Each structure stands twice: as C-alpha cells, then as structure tokens.
Amino acid sequence: MTDERELDDGLAAFDQLGREMAETNRLLRAVRSDQATRNQQEHALSAEMQTALRQATGASQKALQASQTEIRSNLLWTGLTSLLIALAGCGAGYYLGHQSGWEQGHAEGYQKARNQEAAASWANTPAGQRAYGLDRRGSLDLLSLCQGNGWTTERQKGGTVCFPNADAKGNITGWYLP
C-alpha cells in the first residue's frame, strides 16, 4: 500500500504539477497576448504620430514656401518701385536740367549777341575807328598797358593813372587805365 500510496501521491503531485504548468502556460499566453496587444498599440500610436508628424512637417514646409514666395514678391516689388523712382528722378533731373540749360544758354546767347551788337556799334563810331587804327599799328596795347618809353603809373582816386612824358611846357597829363 505504501507503493500505491506513493504512486497516488506521485500522481497527485504530477497532476498538481500539470495544473500548475497549465496555469503557467495560460499566464504566459496572457502575458504574450498582452505584450502583443501593447506592441500593436505602440505600433499604431507610432504610426499615428508619424502621420501627424508628416502632416505637421508638410504644413510647415508649405507655410515656409508661401512665406518665401511672399518675401520674394515683396522684394521684387520694392526693387521695381525703387527703380521706377530712380528713373523718374533721373528723368525729371534731365528734363529740368535740360530745360534750365536751354533757358540759360538761350539767355547767354542773347546776351552775347547784344554785347557783340553793342561792340559792333561802338566799332563804327569815330572812337572805335581810332582804337581800331591804333590796334592795327600795335599801339593800342602800348597805350592800354602804359608801356611807352619813360611813362609811369600812379594810383589815384581808386584807379591806376598812366603818365607819359611831359610836354614842352612840363605839363603831364594822363588817362585812367582799364
């Protein structure tokens, strides 16, 4: 009986061990199932996060491209506006300078013509004819610069006076130099 009893005890222990192993297997399956579920959840969460990240990155890139396009457009318009302002300034400066130069040139030309006309009128007077005769003989510079032999110059009444040699009575007369 002891053998039987030992056998029954052995079977009971074996049975107990089988139940414990079955429970352990069931717990391991449950743990593995939970682990697989967690892995799937993490994978799904990771995929969702990656999708969200891709969407956020795409939106950010689109916003950046739109911003860059707007900046380029603004720079282009600013540059074109500056160019137009500079061209308008140059055109206005050219026109006003040209107009002013034409008016000034016209006025100067008119004044020169008047001066030449006045000089021509004077040249036709007896004094002008005498000056022309003196100039042809080379004496006009001699008189105007007071460079005759023995002639002297003096400052009088705010001007320079030329005194040639004295006449036979010792009188000296002179003329103001220009």
Side-chain angles (χ1 to χ4, degrees), residues 13-106:
F14 186 71
D15 225 12
Q16 179 65 30
L17 182 61
R19 279 193 302 271
E20 285 177 5
M21 285 182 70
E23 183 63 22
T24 302
N25 284 338
R26 187 189 65 76
L27 288 174
L28 279 174
R29 279 193 302 275
V31 167
R32 284 188 188 133
S33 176
D34 286 347
Q35 184 67 38
T37 303
R38 264 187 264 144
N39 285 345
Q40 287 174 348
Q41 289 173 346
E42 286 177 4
H43 182 70
L45 184 60
S46 176
E48 288 175 10
M49 289 177 73
Q50 287 176 357
T51 302
L53 183 60
R54 270 190 237 110
Q55 288 173 349
T57 301
S60 173
Q61 287 177 344
K62 285 180 184 176
L64 179 62
Q65 288 172 349
S67 175
Q68 288 173 341
T69 301
E70 185 177 348
I71 288 170
R72 284 187 194 115
S73 176
N74 287 343
L75 286 175
L76 178 64
W77 281 111
T78 301
L80 287 175
T81 302
S82 298
L83 179 64
L84 286 174
I85 289 170
L87 287 175
C90 289
Y94 174 79
Y95 175 77
L96 294 175
H98 180 71
Q99 195 69 14
S100 173
W102 185 83
E103 290 169 0
Q104 185 178 359
H106 183 68

Side-chain angles (χ1 to χ4, degrees), residues 134 138-148 151 162 175 177-178:
L134 285 171
S139 300
L140 189 59
D141 286 337
L142 180 71
L143 289 172
S144 67
L145 298 174
C146 193
Q147 292 181 341
W151 294 7
C162 178
W175 59 88
L177 297 176

Side-chain angles (χ1 to χ4, degrees), residues 116-133:
Q116 288 176 353
E117 184 180 322
S121 293
W122 180 81
N124 290 325
T125 65
Q129 293 295 320
R130 284 191 299 274
Y132 180 68

